[in-house]
């Protein structure tokens, strides 16, 4: 018996159905076929489809795209994708919107922070993007973009771990590797119980991904053993548990050091907060060439008792950032100018010369893993502080300061050439410190009145009128700058009268 076929829509899927009833064409009836009834599928649901783009570059190459925040557009916009470049070959297209960087959701992250994540990724980068038109439709339909990115999946995977293992005199590194049968370049971990590797954060059953800066996916078991023998007294490895690895592989996401949680790394970059004194910060900045032939900016001649010494600056440290901006591409005078423009306080990110060499050997940026030492030291003595939720995802503190014989036991200072005040001095053991005030805290409110856009004299007047008890809503400087940057980014997106777009180039 002859068969005829038709295409029907069933829950958004096209299916071919074979019919057994014979159909004879009648020219008087036209193409109408009484044997078939085709109706529109009303149950189909439009779902945006993100794309995963993996970019790999060699030393000195560029990725070949720009990242922008544009007037009248939502999200982080991919632009100027170089034809035939690394980004284009990975599938990145002009107008795409960026959802994730290295498995981290970034759609609601301030633009400079997103650009920073990309810059720190090194020579391999994993981007999850959505077509521009689909993104705008999703935003207009109030869809949760985190669902598209997998951030809210019921099956979350644990991040990889970057572990530094130092030989134990008795048991050595305490680790060996077994090749997974039938799977080239894949190795499981064997541990000595209580050994150096286990203490460094490696878990039984972990799978090895990377060792001393090299991916192991192309290595044979004998080549891996030879590599181990050349390691000396220590190795740095990237590992992940087998279940999480399966999820990464199913999603075709590469496992990268930039995604890792660090364990026992011997060196960390430090974030230091300096409040200027009457004679400045108390250090010299020098441009010096190292034995490797590279030129860096060193912090030298730290004055005794100076703000630099109190913040923990050590002679000979290498400067990496000024106020979270990398100094890699800046000249000496440009860095000095940025410090001056910072006003009466500045945030420096530094690392020892040995630490810089350690990360250079691994092919990683030292900025991937920072200590936040300034914040940790300053918050040791905080007591009776009420944390207050902030509408801009910051964490503010509500501090109630009781007036003592000498006042409130703290001093205020102002930002350079703009409104806003911060805590410039806190008397040790005084009522300000007991209330939870920390050097550098930005003052948001005084007795319930917002003072973010007020100048120093106005804020001091409010403080003087505070009576015997003063209520201050404050936020640490780093969180405050992130909050302000996020506010500015949101304004850039929605303000159609802005004159310029904000663009970061990876060309």
């Amino acid at each position: 018996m002859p068969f005829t076929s038709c295409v029907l829509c069933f829950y958004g899927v096209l299916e071919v159905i074979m019919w057994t009833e014979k159909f004879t064409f009648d020219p008087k009836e036209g193409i109408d076929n009484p044997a078939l009834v085709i109706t529109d599928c009303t149950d189909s649901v439009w779902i945006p489809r993100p794309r995963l783009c993996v970019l790999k570059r060699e030393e000195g190459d560029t990725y070949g795209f720009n990242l922008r925040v544009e007037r009248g557009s939502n999200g982080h916009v991919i632009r100027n994708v170089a034809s035939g470049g690394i980004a284009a070959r990975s599938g990145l297209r002009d107008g795409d919107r960026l959802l994730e960087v290295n498995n981290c959701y970034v759609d609601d992250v301030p633009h400079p922070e997103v650009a920073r994540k990309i810059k720190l990724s090194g020579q391999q980068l994993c981007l999850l993007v959505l077509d521009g038109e689909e993104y705008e439709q999703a935003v207009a339909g109030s869809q949760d973009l985190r669902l598209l990115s997998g951030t809210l999946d019921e099956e979350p995977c644990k991040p990889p771990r970057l572990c530094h293992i130092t030989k134990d005199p008795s048991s050595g590194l305490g680790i060996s590797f077994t090749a997974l049968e039938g799977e080239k370049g894949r190795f499981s971990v064997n541990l000595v119980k209580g050994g150096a590797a286990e203490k460094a954060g490696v878990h039984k059953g972990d799978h090895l991904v990377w060792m001393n800066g090299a991916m192991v996916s192309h290595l044979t078991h004998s080549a891996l053993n030879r590599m181990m023998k050349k390691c000396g007294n220590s190795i740095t490895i990237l590992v992940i548990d087998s279940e999480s690895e399966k999820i990464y592989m199913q999603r075709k996401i590469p496992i990268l050091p930039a995604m890792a949680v660090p364990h026992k790394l011997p060196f960390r970059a430090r974030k230091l907060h300096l409040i200027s004194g009457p004679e400045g910060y108390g250090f010299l900045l020098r441009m010096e060439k190292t034995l490797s032939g590279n030129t860096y900016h060193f912090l030298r001649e730290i004055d005794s008792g100076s703000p630099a010494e109190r913040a923990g600056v050590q002679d000979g440290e290498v400067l990496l950032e000024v106020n979270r901006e990398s100094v890699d591409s800046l000249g000496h005078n440009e860095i000095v100018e940025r410090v001056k423009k910072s006003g009466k306080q500045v945030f420096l990110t530094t690392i020892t010369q040995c630490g810089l060499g350690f990360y250079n050997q691994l092919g990683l940026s030292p900025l991937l893993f920072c200590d936040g030492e300034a914040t940790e030291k300053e918050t040791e003595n905080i007591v009776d502080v009420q944390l207050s939720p902030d509408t801009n995802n910051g964490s503010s503190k509500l501090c109630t300061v009781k007036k003592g014989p000498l006042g409130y036991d703290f001093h205020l200072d102002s930002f350079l050439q703009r409104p806003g005040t911060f805590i410039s001095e806190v008397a040790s053991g005084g009522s300000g410190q007991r209330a939870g005030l920390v050097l550098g805290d930005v003052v948001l409110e005084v007795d319930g009145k917002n003072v973010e856009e007020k100048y120093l004299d106005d804020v001091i007047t409010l403080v003087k009128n505070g009576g015997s008890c003063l209520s201050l809503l404050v936020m640490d400087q780093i969180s405050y700058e992130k909050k302000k940057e996020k506010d500015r980014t949101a304004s850039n997106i929605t303000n159609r009268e802005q004159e310029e777009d904000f663009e970061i180039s990876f060309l």
Side-chain angles (χ1 to χ4, degrees):
M1 179 181 293
F3 292 94
T4 59
S5 65
C6 74
V7 179
L8 295 182
C9 180
F10 179 69
Y11 290 103
V13 179
L14 293 177
E15 296 188 350
V16 178
I17 310 296
M18 307 305 291
W19 295 85
T20 57
E21 183 177 344
K22 184 178 180 180
F23 168 58
T24 304
F25 177 73
D26 187 339
K28 291 182 179 180
E29 293 181 0
I31 63 170
D32 291 337
N33 184 350
L36 300 179
V37 178
I38 301 177
T39 60
D40 292 334
C41 178
T42 58
D43 293 326
S44 61
V45 178
W46 173 77
I47 301 176
R49 301 293 181 189
R51 306 188 318 278
L52 188 68
C53 301
V54 179
L55 291 70
K56 298 179 183 180
R57 65 179 177 87
E58 298 297 328
E59 189 69 37
D61 287 344
T62 60
Y63 286 123
F65 72 95
N66 286 355
L67 186 68
R68 298 168 60 102
V69 170
E70 295 184 348
R71 176 178 51 192
S73 298
N74 294 297
H76 305 287
V77 187
I78 303 293
R79 290 296 188 201
N80 300 330
V81 179
S83 178
I86 294 170
R89 294 198 302 271
S90 77
L92 213 58
R93 298 196 292 258
D94 188 79
D96 282 342
R97 301 299 196 276
L98 187 57
L99 299 183
E100 286 185 3
V101 175
N102 292 335
N103 209 31
C104 178
Y105 183 72
V106 297
D107 183 66
D108 57 357
V109 174
H111 193 72
E113 187 65 27
V114 178
R116 188 173 185 270
K117 285 181 180 292
I118 294 174
K119 288 177 179 178
L120 297 185
S121 183
Q123 292 176 238
Q124 193 165 358
L125 179 64
C126 181
L127 303 179
L128 187 72
V129 298
L130 186 62
D131 174 79
E133 290 186 7
E134 290 191 359
Y135 179 93
E136 294 294 351
Q137 289 179 49
V139 171
S142 300
Q143 290 200 31
D144 191 339
L145 296 172
R146 292 174 299 170
L147 291 173
L148 300 179
S149 74
T151 306
L152 301 181
D153 279 355
E154 293 181 2
E155 191 179 16
C157 54
K158 296 176 183 177
R161 280 160 280 124
L162 188 67
C163 306
H164 183 77
I165 309 168
T166 303
K167 268 186 180 177
D168 182 271
S170 57
S171 60
L173 294 170
I175 190 172
S176 61
F177 305 101
T178 301
L180 297 179
E181 189 174 350
E183 299 186 64
K184 183 182 177 182
R186 299 191 62 209
F187 307 92
S188 63
V189 167
N190 308 303
L191 296 175
V192 173
K193 189 172 179 60
E198 190 174 70
K199 290 177 181 177
V202 184
H203 300 162
K204 182 180 179 181
D206 278 346
H207 286 181
L208 179 67
V209 178
W210 176 99
M211 180 188 290
N212 284 356
M215 301 297 285
V216 300
S217 55
H218 65 285
L219 297 180
T220 62
H221 191 252
S222 58
L224 183 64
N225 285 333
R226 288 195 299 271
M227 192 173 176
M228 280 278 289
K229 289 177 182 178
K230 294 179 181 178
C231 286
N233 291 323
S234 64
I235 59 170
T236 306
I237 61 175
L238 185 69
V239 295
I240 191 170
D241 68 276
S242 58
E243 291 303 312
S244 294
E245 185 187 44
K246 288 179 184 176
I247 297 172
Y248 276 89
M249 292 177 70
Q250 287 169 0
R251 296 177 181 173
K252 298 181 180 180
I253 299 174
I255 302 170
L256 306 176
M259 303 172 178
V261 176
H263 286 264
K264 299 290 185 180
L265 296 185
F267 304 99
R268 296 279 194 98
R270 300 188 302 145
K271 293 186 180 297
L272 305 173
H273 183 195
L274 283 67
I275 305 290
S276 179
E279 298 182 5
Y281 293 112
F283 70 88
L284 292 180
L285 183 67
R286 285 183 180 167
M287 200 166 164
E288 301 177 13
K289 184 175 286 189
T290 63
L291 293 175
S292 64
N294 295 319
T295 302
Y296 299 103
H297 303 277
F298 287 83
L299 304 179
R300 296 292 190 188
E301 299 183 27
I302 314 303
D303 294 339
S304 178
S306 67
E309 185 183 62
R310 291 197 298 271
V313 177
Q314 298 172 9
D315 186 83
E317 285 189 294
V318 180
L319 182 64
L320 302 175
E321 289 183 317
V322 174
N323 293 330
R324 291 181 65 79
E325 181 184 358
S326 173
V327 300
D328 267 355
S329 60
L330 300 180
H332 182 79
N333 292 336
E334 291 176 296
I335 297 174
V336 172
E337 189 63 26
R338 276 164 172 72
V339 173
K340 287 180 179 178
K341 283 185 177 179
S342 186
K344 296 184 179 180
Q345 62 175 337
V346 67
F347 285 87
L348 304 180
T349 308
T350 66
I351 194 169
T352 63
Q353 191 171 345
C354 289
L356 184 62
F358 171 77
Y359 287 102
N360 284 344
Q361 284 184 348
L362 296 179
L364 302 177
S365 168
L367 292 170
L368 280 172
F369 310 109
C370 293
D371 267 346
E373 186 171 314
T375 304
E376 291 172 2
K377 283 186 176 180
E378 291 169 357
T379 55
E380 285 176 354
N381 298 317
I382 292 180
V383 292
D384 298 329
V385 180
Q386 180 182 348
L387 292 181
S388 175
D390 184 80
T391 56
N392 290 283
N393 297 326
S395 181
S396 53
K397 300 178 294 186
L398 187 61
C399 303
T400 303
V401 188
K402 294 181 180 179
K403 195 171 187 177
L406 300 177
Y408 296 112
D409 297 325
F410 69 86
H411 289 168
L412 293 171
D413 211 329
S414 61
F415 295 115
L416 187 67
Q417 298 179 344
R418 64 183 174 98
T421 54
F422 62 91
I423 306 296
S424 61
E425 187 176 340
V426 182
S428 179
S431 57
Q433 187 182 65
R434 291 196 300 272
L437 293 180
V438 173
L439 189 72
D441 277 347
V442 178
V443 182
L444 307 180
E445 294 181 2
V446 176
D447 285 336
K449 297 179 181 178
N450 188 281
V451 296
E452 291 181 75
E453 297 302 319
K454 293 186 178 294
Y455 287 89
L456 182 60
D457 290 344
D458 298 325
V459 179
I460 289 176
T461 300
L462 288 173
V463 170
K464 287 180 177 179
N465 295 335
S468 61
C469 195
L470 184 69
S471 176
L472 295 180
L473 185 68
V474 298
M475 181 181 289
D476 72 90
Q477 177 74 13
I478 292 177
S479 297
Y480 182 73
E481 291 300 332
K482 285 183 179 179
K483 168 183 175 294
K484 295 297 287 184
E485 188 58 55
K486 187 172 182 179
D487 291 344
R488 285 192 291 268
T489 300
S491 176
N492 283 343
I493 293 173
T494 57
N495 184 4
R496 294 177 179 272
E497 294 181 356
Q498 73 174 50
E499 295 179 359
E500 295 183 4
D501 296 326
F502 184 22
E503 177 176 284
I504 301 291
S505 177
F506 300 98
L507 292 174

